[in-house]
Amino acid sequence: MKVRTIALSTLLLSSLGASAQVTVDVDAAQKGKAVSPMLYGIFYEDINHAADGGLYAELVRNRSFEDNDKAPEHWKAKGNASLQLISKGLLNKVQGKALEVTFNGDGDGFNNEGYWGIPAVQGRTYKLSFWAKGKLKGKLKAYLSCGCGTKVFASTEFEGKQFSNKWTKYEATLTSKTNHPKALLWFAATGKGKLAFDVVSLMPPTFNNRENGMRPELASMLYDLRPKFFRFPGGCFVEGQQSPDNAFRWERTIGPIEERPGHWNVNWGYRTTDGIGFHEYLQLAEDLGSKPLYVVNVGIWHGGFTPVDSIQPWIDETLNALEYANGPVTSKYGALRAKNGHPAPFNIEYLEIGNENNQPNPREQSDNYYKRFQLFRDAVLAKYPNMHIIGNVASWGTDDPTWDSDEKVELLDEHYYRTPNWFADNFRKYDTYNRQGPDIYVGEYAVTQGFGNVGNLNAALGEAVYMMGMENNSDIVKMASYAPIFANVNETRWRPDMIQFNATRALGTPSYYVQRMMANNVGTRIMAVTQNNPYKVNPDDIKVKPATCAVGVGTWGTNASFEEKALTLEEGATSQPVAKAEVKGTWKKEGNVVKQTSWEEGTVLLNNKLFTSDEYTYKVRARKDKGHEGFLVVFNYVDEDNYCWLNLGGWGNGQHAIEQVIDGSKAQIAMTPGRVEEGRWYDVELHVKGDSVYTSIDGKQIFAAKLKPSTFANFFSSATYDEASGEYIVKLVNTSTEATTARINLKNHKSSKGRVIRLAGEKGTSENTIEQLTNVVPTEEQVSPDADGVTLDIPANSLNIVRIK
């Protein structure tokens, strides 16, 4: 909060002064252990339309008419044309529906809106294909146009006599003569007739010019990460939900697109075409220069599982997939791979057995995991003895997951979704890991609390510090990958994601640039670093409660009603009106009751007093009206980046908690199971005394807690040596809100030249948006070392990678 920030700034300024600086000593003669050559990779999952409408270049949405059994979603009729889904006389056995179109006259037709618009780009050539049968007089015109359909950007024509009662594939190219961000794909007839359509595809140019390939700018952003490995296809996408049919079944995702049934991505709320299938994943890994890491289903999906004594079909499915990827062309599945255009093996070397399937509670996607692991491992190693096998450990509920089995495993997959503070505090997490145990793969990690709206600089810096810690310990942390990667801004179900996009633009968050900077500046040998901070901040000296603050109420994705009962301040307290009471949300006053009626997250309505009081009591009646969550009672509010709230019925109405936000970073101070009933009034009392907080519901105390100061503000350093370039790579992260200077002393080495790659922003809460892509992006400049090292100005809120020749 502001008082905390001011207090910490004062401590820093008084310690640093004009001449003080951080010193970082690196002895060039003491080169340590090798850095893992596989350290940084990427983890891909079809989430937030990462595939269809994202990385997969296909522009037609619902191209096979399978998204809805009742209506042709994303397709609309024009003129007197009529559209009807049919389920008989289909293209093949994997297609469940086709679209029958009746053209009643000249100009009748239909269109597809794509994924929130089809980008028409001047000079770009598109490949159109579709299957059709039926009879038509005149011509069928296919074209790109605006929503009205009158301005033609690109077009092609098919003679009516080309169509017959036999399903036939039709292909053409269209070249756009103008730019339009939200074009539609139109079909219109010049005469009467009836045609059935299926698998309508419009492909722009793709990454590496691959057939059925990837959107170039998104794939290029992956390429720029220089990933050593490519983990796919998930994530929860591997397991599916409700039914094993909603899991990723690799054999259903290969071959011509018209032979792929697609499936419901129930976990993330939409149907996927499986246009990016097993073959495309492997091809993309090859195009990125990455080793494929395949995650297999062990017979567990969200909500069910195959009994462990009946999982042989799942094992066989895995072995068949490995034969497709690795087998000779003389094998059954190796021959199928060659038929699909890739005679040479893809060479999968890494296999993860299950995804998050080793939780202590068997109801949480877990059942006899160690036995499943053993059966899969033994079967795979019997045929592929050099395969690197990765096992699951607990993915939530602990900061210290363990492998509680005698079964041999090479790598363990740890997952961490935490706050910026947590990642910075765990800079040395792996220093004390047992070097005699399995190696570590940090398969999923990201700041998911306190990241702002899209992903802010504080989040990225916390992750950078953690990555430096992994780098320092890459004798045991062999691999790491941020998660997740992609989100279409039009339908984001999980945040944050390091790359966001719409149909025409793509943004990298600060976390993306941290991943890129770290991966491109790894080095090959770990160097010992001695850091001397001229300042030390004792958290006990920092007062968390702000001197001046406000209280209020709020909601998280719910509708709720509130009635303030009392705000009692200590004797001598002062107050003034708040500048703005309605911080967020849609509020309606009815007598003494205020109602919040929007479905926004994090709505806040403040009491009209901005007061100065070290002790106060706030009483309010609250009622959940509708939604999945409960309601919020806000206290110690300073601004949108600094406040606390009592969260009642949070996390899907399963938990009560006190949450604290400092400089945009949120942390849970106290938490207990709890829920609130819809339509019931609750009397909530909140008492604050200094940094102590006492809360009760209906007279029963649920929390007596103490607020915690942030320990995020600090300075971190690490170093490696790059044997290929002959450069020393020193990484410096300043997570404080104050600039400083740093002296790198490079002992036993005469420096010649250097450069610094830097990521910094105006504030720790700075972030990029789809409208403003470059608020926080890396910069590079040359530096001039002296004989023994270099002195640098280090901005506040910054990652600095210094390469010294």
Side-chain angles (χ1 to χ4, degrees), residues 398-424:
T398 177
D399 287 344
D400 300 295
T402 55
W403 181 257
D404 300 319
S405 172
D406 292 331
E407 294 295 340
K408 186 177 179 181
V409 59
E410 181 181 352
L411 289 149
L412 299 177
D413 181 8
E414 297 185 352
H415 294 181
Y416 298 110
Y417 295 108
R418 304 289 193 272
T419 65
N421 204 96
W422 185 92
F423 282 107

Side-chain angles (χ1 to χ4, degrees), residues 204-217:
T206 61
F207 184 66
N208 277 5
N209 297 314
R210 297 291 182 191
E211 290 292 326
N212 199 47
M214 309 299 150
R215 179 172 162 180
E217 67 269 39

Side-chain angles (χ1 to χ4, degrees), residues 178-221:
T178 190
N179 295 315
H180 195 287
K182 291 190 175 183
L184 281 72
L185 174 64
W186 290 80
F187 291 88
T190 61
K192 294 183 178 181
K194 183 181 291 186
L195 294 176
F197 293 84
D198 207 352
V199 195
V200 182
S201 173
L202 185 69
M203 293 291 285
T206 61
F207 184 66
N208 277 5
N209 297 314
R210 297 291 182 191
E211 290 292 326
N212 199 47
M214 309 299 150
R215 179 172 162 180
E217 67 269 39
L218 297 183
S220 294
M221 291 180 75

